Amino acid sequence: MTGKGLIWIEPATIACADLLATLHPQIFVSDEQVWTSDSFKQLLAMPGTRAWLAITSRDGQEVPAGFALARFAADEAEIITIGVLPQCHRQGVGQLLLTQILDQTGEAGAEIFLEVAANNKAALKLYLKHGFAEAGRRKNYYKRGNGDRVDAMILRRPASTL
């Protein structure tokens, strides 16, 4: 429960690809590359890929608050993306989505990796709080719509902390 209402997590399937493609540019407004419905369909069709939607209730309507995608293979997992709609920031949505993924990796005994923009302070704070540490960096990895480039930090959480 948050201050503005209940938020819950539901599995997302290929049938959610259009919705995810609609949410992506609303969440990642500064990114140059927007993921299409076909991009999400391809990702969700890959073995080991799982996705979740964060849902909230507003004015009696169930509406999306964010989503997450992760890929699981043997004893490793990768967070492909976690995104929260701007109007749902600071309500615990990212925390709930990350917890869903961590629960899945804990069941598999997997270490987990992700890449995050080095200037995304809110995401970095969340990941570091949950036992992730920097494992590397990709210089100028993300290209923003305004032409700026941002480093990607590669973060790792070993299986032993799960």
Side-chain angles (χ1 to χ4, degrees):
M1 181 79 112
T2 68
K4 296 190 177 186
L6 183 66
I7 300 170
W8 63 96
I9 306 297
E10 295 181 356
T13 65
I14 289 177
C16 300
D18 290 342
L19 172 60
L20 296 173
T22 299
L23 296 174
H24 191 271
Q26 296 174 48
I27 293 169
F28 301 102
V29 293
S30 65
D31 283 0
E32 181 177 82
Q33 182 178 356
V34 174
W35 296 0
T36 65
S37 180
D38 285 342
S39 300
F40 281 104
K41 287 176 185 173
Q42 290 173 3
L43 277 169
L44 292 167
M46 293 175 69
T49 301
R50 297 184 197 148
W52 300 270
L53 279 168
I55 308 292
T56 189
S57 180
R58 284 225 169 87
D59 301 322
Q61 300 283 326
E62 292 182 4
V63 294
F67 66 88
L69 281 94
R71 187 172 20 234
F72 300 84
D75 60 350
E76 288 187 359
E78 173 192 12
I79 295 176
I80 298 168
T81 191
I82 295 178
V84 177
L85 288 165
Q87 64 268 29
C88 298
H89 285 179
R90 307 193 65 73
Q91 295 180 29
V93 177
Q95 168 85 31
L96 287 171
L97 289 163
L98 179 59
T99 299
Q100 180 68 42
I101 295 170
L102 295 178
D103 288 349
Q104 298 289 312
T105 57
E107 291 173 14
E111 73 177 326
I112 189 163
F113 294 89
L114 63 90
E115 293 172 347
V116 61
N119 64 350
N120 189 339
K121 293 184 187 326
L124 285 167
K125 182 178 178 182
L126 176 65
Y127 296 134
L128 295 174
K129 175 182 163 186
H130 286 278
F132 286 86
E134 186 171 356
R137 195 176 275 255
R138 297 181 197 275
K139 292 287 186 192
N140 299 315
Y141 183 76
Y142 295 107
K143 185 175 181 184
R144 302 302 187 205
N146 64 4
D148 288 349
R149 309 268 313 173
V150 178
D151 289 356
M153 292 177 65
I154 302 166
L155 301 183
R156 175 184 169 267
R157 183 178 183 203
S160 61
T161 64
L162 297 174

